Amino acid sequence: PALAQTNGWYAGLAGGANWLNDTKVGNAPNGTASVEHDTGWAGAGKVGYGFGDVRVEGELSYRQNDGKSANNIEVSSWSTMANVLYDFTG
């Protein structure tokens, strides 16, 4: 079923958990501070076109984590990616 469509447009969505390493913050009142983060969430969407065994797609994703050891801190990011994929169909 995963290889059923090899030509034409396709779209996909994904979501999951996001883990972020501790963040060092400069210019804190006592120098540099380290902030721990809660487990966050991530979501992504993609749109592509298949040309037989070759697919070309674009992806947009978002990630977000709240601060665990400090109040009112949120870290988030948007990212884009372009992919060219080759499907080995045997």
Side-chain angles (χ1 to χ4, degrees):
L3 298 175
Q5 181 179 346
T6 57
N7 291 301
W9 290 101
Y10 65 91
L13 294 173
N18 183 49
W19 291 271
L20 184 63
N21 292 333
D22 293 351
T23 303
K24 298 217 181 295
V25 180
N27 297 328
N30 296 322
T32 302
S34 181
V35 178
E36 295 178 21
H37 300 280
D38 288 328
T39 301
W41 62 274
K46 66 181 177 181
V47 175
Y49 193 87
F51 301 92
D53 290 338
V54 177
R55 294 182 289 137
V56 178
E57 66 183 30
E59 177 181 300
L60 176 66
S61 63
Y62 179 79
R63 292 167 177 77
Q64 188 267 323
N65 294 81
D66 291 328
K68 178 188 255 184
S69 60
N71 293 330
N72 300 322
I73 290 183
E74 179 183 295
V75 177
S76 62
S77 68
W78 285 96
S79 62
T80 58
M81 185 167 34
N83 301 310
V84 177
L85 303 109
Y86 181 81
D87 295 321
F88 294 93
T89 57

